[in-house]
Amino acid sequence: MLRQEQTFNKKMSNVKLDPVEDWKKTQIDKLHRSLAEAEQKAEECQAEKIKLEEELLRAKEKISQLRETRDTLRASNDAMCVEMKKTTDKLEAEVRVRMREMI
């Protein structure tokens, strides 16, 4: 596209134009430049979008891993609490028995 524009501009630079045609040519050149800039910006935005989507995917995976870890730790903690309660109940029962024996 840019090469075609340059070729066109080179050919047109040798042509004598009246003021209206010259103005039209200038406007067309401006539009071509604006279009090229917009296309470049669109490509940059698309690349940034892809980068952000990849980052979002990694973040979602990390969140999933953290949730799994949380659930595992919660289950482990619950199991330890149950075990501690059993041990505490057992020790309390032993203390009661010994206290009775001492009395």
Side-chain angles (χ1 to χ4, degrees):
M1 176 78 176
L2 186 58
R3 181 174 282 180
Q4 289 174 345
E5 184 180 340
Q6 289 171 343
T7 302
F8 174 77
N9 288 340
K10 193 178 222 183
K11 288 179 182 176
M12 294 305 290
S13 66
N14 297 329
V15 177
K16 300 289 183 196
L17 302 174
D18 64 43
V20 172
E21 289 299 317
D22 190 37
W23 178 83
K24 286 181 183 178
K25 179 188 174 294
T26 302
Q27 295 305 311
I28 290 171
D29 289 345
K30 287 180 183 178
L31 289 173
H32 281 139
R33 281 192 298 278
S34 294
L35 178 60
E37 290 170 2
E39 288 172 343
Q40 177 66 29
K41 185 68 176 174
E43 289 175 7
E44 291 170 4
C45 288
Q46 183 64 25
E48 182 69 17
K49 178 185 173 197
I50 290 169
K51 179 181 166 189
L52 290 172
E53 286 173 343
E54 290 171 352
E55 190 175 325
L56 177 62
L57 183 59
R58 285 191 300 274
K60 285 181 177 181
E61 288 172 0
K62 183 67 175 175
I63 288 169
S64 178
Q65 291 172 351
L66 290 172
R67 284 183 177 148
E68 268 184 48
T69 302
R70 178 201 62 199
D71 293 345
T72 301
L73 290 172
R74 190 175 283 161
S76 175
N77 185 43
D78 291 347
M80 286 191 312
C81 286
V82 168
E83 192 62 36
M84 285 175 57
K85 176 71 172 137
K86 288 178 184 178
T87 303
T88 302
D89 290 347
K90 182 179 174 182
L91 289 172
E92 285 176 353
E94 286 179 21
V95 168
R96 276 190 232 117
V97 168
R98 288 187 184 171
M99 293 283 280
R100 284 186 200 144
E101 290 174 355
M102 291 175 73
I103 296 178

